Amino acid sequence: MHELGGFGDAPALITTDETVNYRELAERIARKVPQLGAGRRLVLICGTNDVDVIVTYLAALFAGHPVLLAPGDSPDSLDGLIAAYGPDIVIRSVNGSTVIEERCTGSAHRLHPDLALLLTTSGSTGSPKLVRLSHRNVQSNAESIAEYLDIRGTDRAVTTLPMHYCYGLSVIHSHLLRGAALVLTTDSVTDPDFWDLFRRHHGTSFAGVPYTFDLLDRIGFDQLDLPHLRYITQAGGRLAPEKVRAYAELGRRRGWDLVVMYGQTEATARMAYLPPELTATHAHTIGRPIPGGSFRLEPVSDAPVGTGELIYAGPNVMLGYAHTPEDLGIGDTLRGELHTGDLARRSDDGLYEVVGRRSRFAKVFGLRIDLPHVESALTGHGLTACCAGGTDELIVAVQDSHDAADVRQSAARASGLPVSAVRVFLVDQLPRTSTGKPDFRAVAELARADQSAPAAEPTTAADTAAVRALYADILHCTQVTDDSTFVSLGGDSLSHVQMSLRLEKLLGYLPVNWHTTPIRDLAREPRQRRRWRTAETNVVLRAVAIVLIAGSHIHLFTLLGGAHVLLGVAGYNFARFHLGAAERTERLRHTLASVTRIAVPSMVWIGAVIALTGEYRITSALLLNGVLGPDGWSVEWRYWFVEAIVYIVLVVAAVLCIPFADRIERRNPFWFAMGFVALGLLTRYGLVDVDDGRNRILTASVVFWLFALGWAAAQSTTVWHRLCVTAVIVATVPGFFFGETRREVIVIGGLCLLVWVRSVPCPTLVNRVAGVLASASLYIYLTHFQVYLPLRDDHPWLALALSILVGVLYWQAVTVVLRLRRRLRFRLPGTAQPGSSLPSRASVLVSHRRVGPPGARV
């Protein structure tokens, strides 16, 4: 790299406490060099975005010492690298100060003259394999990046990535090369202090991996005022094309560019970039080679036509890998050409698109896991194992009888992953192909098949596999991971009751906020056995309300108001299950899926009744009675509640599709809900005239305010919030039901319970009965009109019992259909989930804990 002192008084490193200009930086480096000793030595540095660490790193490079950059936030990785390579010097931060630990006088290693830098591959694979880089590699890549990004001396890049990560390190190299400034911080982009620092120091750029853009979506990045921002770079994994286009368009409007890049640690950092002017039309590609580099495609026998392995050539290609300290003395083994392991194709306009991988690596939580290395490590423990990558998990099949917990621990250590990210399957024989080779696709299939296996009831902490299987079964999902939550998998009010009951049975209790808690955290608590269980208040309200509705219709008693309480419960559950942290489009997808699960069974039932009896108009089967039906009361209005829920949720979902509304809701969820309460009161009090007849209490637009009150109840996080909602309930419900005081009391009481009481203790049997009634409440409502009418006068209690029974049976029938549909989609050719690789034949049978090939003892 160029001599830094030549940039004079220009700022180089900026923190909240100081600004170091280039002249001062050069002086600090010069003072640091003697502390590293004479002669070339292997220097391990714990990389952090800290002034003194960067000064020490640059001093080591300028003095010719090979630097091994270690993660500064992972003591285990640090200890592993020290044990594997025995560095001569270890440099780390201790209580805010940089400490130099001299472990050897001179050097214990034979170091090749070209060796300058050692990096772990893609973060960490848990193995001691390192990428060996030369000064030429580092210099040429920094020059290429500075050229295509047009980095200027006036630029100021704010650090968003760790220094030990090749992407974060390339930001440091390329900006120091051009005399630009680095604004050093460890704050997240979700922290307001990050953006205050960005604005205060006139930040012009920052770098992001795909997850960074998920965080930007959550904080309303498109509304931030960043007047000096010139460009954002993205690498570290594939960013969805639609998100690339969205951010590129946002940048076009706000005056900055998005630069999508592609690279690997083995190429120092970058190999390709997509020019900003091409993002709108070529967002699915990695673009073109960086200046000084080139691509070619090498044919692969089993790759699709037109694709091949992407081979990169350029001066930034590493010298090779190091597996042991002896490899530090080896020179260039690749001669400037890198087999990326990615399958790609080239478009007619010279741009490249990556379409898959050909080597045995797995990406788990963004880390590239060397599967053969993990298998080799397990072999060293006397295990015969085969590994595959799953959805954010490592799948390990182990032959013969072993302790699964011990295997998980060993695989976790070998891969560098947490234990919770490893799934172990004990098999009698490893699945193999017809040629006798390990069948990796069959190993991956073990995890997918296990999702439908019945869950065991553990006696200590719940097995994450059992919880995953439970979620997969109830939510009809094929992609369930330890990081999944009930909300993220599209859970809604129809499925949450069954899920909560079975989860409580599995765990022994129901954790607070279980619906937004990742599976891995649910499974950590030890199993608890209780005679009494807790039932969520909204579950109890649904169970009681449906009994009140049916019983009142049968004339067993007159306790009306249950349906209007259910409107509040619907709003409460809408807020809980559809207004999480997911992106706007994901929210919409889950909401529409939930509406479908309400509308379709309703339309099927009502349509069947029309076909058999001709009792209703076709508008009822289409759920259009509220729009096209008669003005006065008629039998078609029996299903007003279903129509109201469908109409209301669709309208709210449409509003939340508006970016501005979505941002406001995320920033002020409670007051946004109260705003909808205020809008609902316009029709409730007739300020916006909708229906002057008695049907007004059944009209979706008039009863909407009750749904909004439930929504606000769910978003109440303080006592003042709850008092505010309660005050509105008490003030607005009276007078709505034409003087029916008993109904008003029931509605006020039900809604206030929703506001103030989250759960109630009850005996196990009562809990289960309430769960069944709540789960089947929609179906009981749909079917009870056809059941009770012939029996109401002579056998009212029988009418109630049969109404409930038929509703429960219809609920079970719908559940079976959904489960079969999911299994058909999973098994039919061409219907695999994106990213999955279903084998053409089943090679193993699966039980909950042990699996084996056909005919084997399972």
Side-chain angles (χ1 to χ4, degrees), residues 449-460:
D450 186 56
Q451 289 173 347
S452 60
E457 212 175 285
T459 56
T460 56

Side-chain angles (χ1 to χ4, degrees), residues 392-658:
D392 279 344
E393 62 184 0
L394 175 65
I395 301 164
V396 182
V398 179
Q399 184 172 303
D400 298 326
S401 297
H402 295 283
D403 187 293
D406 290 342
V407 176
R408 290 180 75 197
Q409 291 284 352
S410 299
R413 285 194 297 268
S415 62
L417 291 170
V419 173
S420 57
V422 179
R423 294 182 68 187
V424 173
F425 294 87
L426 305 179
V427 298
D428 290 330
Q429 294 290 332
L430 288 181
R432 298 186 181 277
T433 65
S434 58
T435 60
K437 297 180 180 179
D439 191 338
F440 303 116
R441 296 180 69 184
V443 172
E445 171 64 7
L446 294 177
R448 286 187 285 272
D450 186 56
Q451 289 173 347
S452 60
E457 212 175 285
T459 56
T460 56
D463 192 337
T464 54
V467 182
R468 282 197 305 266
L470 177 62
Y471 274 54
D473 180 50
I474 294 179
L475 297 179
H476 316 294
C477 295
T478 58
Q479 300 291 328
V480 183
T481 72
D482 286 353
D483 285 323
S484 299
T485 68
F486 179 76
V487 171
S488 72
L489 293 172
D492 57 17
S493 59
L494 295 179
S495 53
H496 108 276
V497 179
Q498 187 183 13
M499 177 65 79
S500 65
L501 292 176
R502 290 183 59 183
L503 186 63
E504 185 177 17
K505 181 179 179 182
L506 180 65
L507 300 179
Y509 76 114
L510 193 65
V512 177
N513 296 325
W514 64 269
H515 59 292
T516 56
T517 302
I519 288 174
R520 71 173 71 257
D521 295 330
L522 288 174
R524 284 176 180 165
E525 294 294 332
R527 178 177 171 82
Q528 303 178 29
R529 298 187 180 275
R530 300 179 180 179
R531 294 180 60 186
W532 281 58
R533 300 189 184 275
T534 57
E536 293 182 85
T537 301
N538 75 90
V539 173
V540 174
L541 287 175
R542 286 169 65 180
V544 172
I546 194 60
V547 173
L548 293 184
I549 291 169
S552 296
H553 288 169
I554 295 169
H555 299 163
L556 279 170
F557 42 74
T558 304
L559 295 172
L560 301 174
H564 291 83
V565 172
L566 287 180
L567 282 171
V569 173
Y572 181 87
N573 286 329
F574 173 81
R576 294 178 75 205
F577 305 135
H578 299 303
L579 298 182
E583 297 179 7
R584 189 170 66 251
T585 54
E586 189 70 5
R587 278 184 172 185
L588 177 63
R589 187 176 68 82
H590 286 169
T591 301
L592 293 180
S594 181
V595 171
T596 301
R597 287 192 287 269
I598 295 172
V600 172
S602 301
M603 296 168 73
V604 168
W605 179 266
I606 300 171
V609 171
I610 293 174
L612 294 173
T613 69
E615 185 173 6
Y616 306 112
R617 298 183 183 184
I618 191 64
T619 52
S620 291
L622 298 176
L623 302 183
L624 293 175
N625 181 68
V627 178
L628 303 177
D631 293 333
W633 168 260
S634 67
V635 292
E636 279 79 9
W637 279 95
R638 287 174 177 169
Y639 295 104
W640 70 271
F641 175 77
V642 178
E643 292 190 8
I645 292 297
V646 171
Y647 293 172
I648 289 170
V649 174
L650 287 178
V651 169
V652 172
V655 172
L656 290 174
C657 277
I658 302 171

Side-chain angles (χ1 to χ4, degrees), residues 786-804:
Q786 283 68 52
V787 177
Y788 78 78
L789 284 172
L791 301 169
R792 177 170 61 183
D793 295 334
D794 298 326
H795 306 284
W797 287 104
L798 177 61
L800 177 61
L802 287 178
S803 294
I804 292 173

